[in-house]
Amino acid sequence: MFLLFRQGRKTPPPPVRPPEAPPVEERPAATGTVVEEEEATTTVPPPARPIEVPVAPPVEVPPPSAGRMVRLRARLARSQSTFGRGLLELLSRDRLDDDVWDEIEETLITADVGVAPTQVMVEELRTRVKVLGSRTPDEVRGLLREQLLTQIGADTDRTLHLAKHGERPAVVLVVGVNGTGKTTTTGKLARSLVGDGRKVVLGAADTFRAAAADQLATWGERVGAEVVRGPEGGDPASVAFDAVARGIDDKADVVIVDTAGRLHTKTGLMDELGKVKRVIEKKATVDEVLLVLDATTGQNGMRQAQVFAEVVNITGIALTKLDGTAKGGIVISVQRELGVPVKLVGLGEGPDDLAPFDPEVFVDALLGD
């Protein structure tokens, strides 16, 4: 017997959905780590470093110029052994014959006093000694002090003329051959004036030496003095003109212009200095022309000084390196030869070792206490 089954229609099963993936929790990636996502890698750069702004050095407050030479007197005394003390010893002898007077004359000449001033001093001393007869050490010292002050010019006006002309600043032109300390003297003078409460602008017109402009910029930065400079090998007169213009705009009290001691062009140095001075005078008055001389060069420096004096009308002398090995008589001879006073003296390597020249302090240091 056959059984017949009626196959019923089957209902298809519902589609099977794939299981849902659990949500991925997003985590902040650590700096500098690698984040992996579906086999792709991304490197997160570190944060940019903050830009470091250079901090300018603090502006210094220099001491005033008054009394500097008194404070530096001990440095002058270093040169007294062959000059002041030697003269005092000779003049204190019981018998002053011709041989002793010859020694006195030789001592003065060796100290760079110069032949003509030496002859005048010896003649005057011989006359005074005869009048006195017997001499005490104090009398001998008084005689020598009097003669030295007479030759140096104790009553000479050594003022730096730095008064403003209305709205225009005073202008100082610094000249001299390279190697005498010209740029350093310019920087020290600016420092001294700032210490006296003046606003100063510096002109780096020595375009022959790039180091000169950099050196002057360092001096100016220390005391907050503006420095005007030009390209290396540029026109010095143009830099000087711009410095004076800046001084007028900034209402400065003094503009100090450092000039070249030699040039890279065929133009003569003296012609260039004359041009610098003429160009400055289109904007302002040149109140001081300071000639920087190295006190250790003696008569060689004197010949250099005469050449400068013929061109730019020197008004004063800044005598550097007067401490230590310098011969004190150079003050007498340089003034006699040039007809202008020593106004500033350099008595060391420190930033405040430039001082207004004081004849009495100078002579007393040479002769000792």
Side-chain angles (χ1 to χ4, degrees), residues 4-10:
L4 297 175
F5 293 93
R6 185 180 180 182
Q7 188 174 2
R9 189 176 291 178
K10 295 181 179 180

Side-chain angles (χ1 to χ4, degrees), residues 69-70 72-81 83-85 88 141 145 148-149 322 328 347 357-369:
M69 195 160 180
V70 174
L72 300 170
R73 175 176 169 174
R75 299 182 184 178
L76 284 171
R78 296 175 188 173
S79 58
Q80 72 184 25
S81 58
F83 184 31
R85 286 181 180 174
L88 286 173
R141 188 182 185 281
R145 184 179 189 274
L148 288 171
L149 286 174
L322 192 58
L347 301 169
F357 182 65
D358 186 323
E360 294 194 3
V361 174
F362 176 71
V363 170
D364 287 341
L366 291 180
L367 297 179
D369 295 326

Side-chain angles (χ1 to χ4, degrees), residues 29-45:
T31 302
T33 61
V34 178
V35 179
E36 297 185 1
E37 182 179 355
E38 297 181 358
E39 298 182 355
T41 60
T42 304
T43 302
V44 179

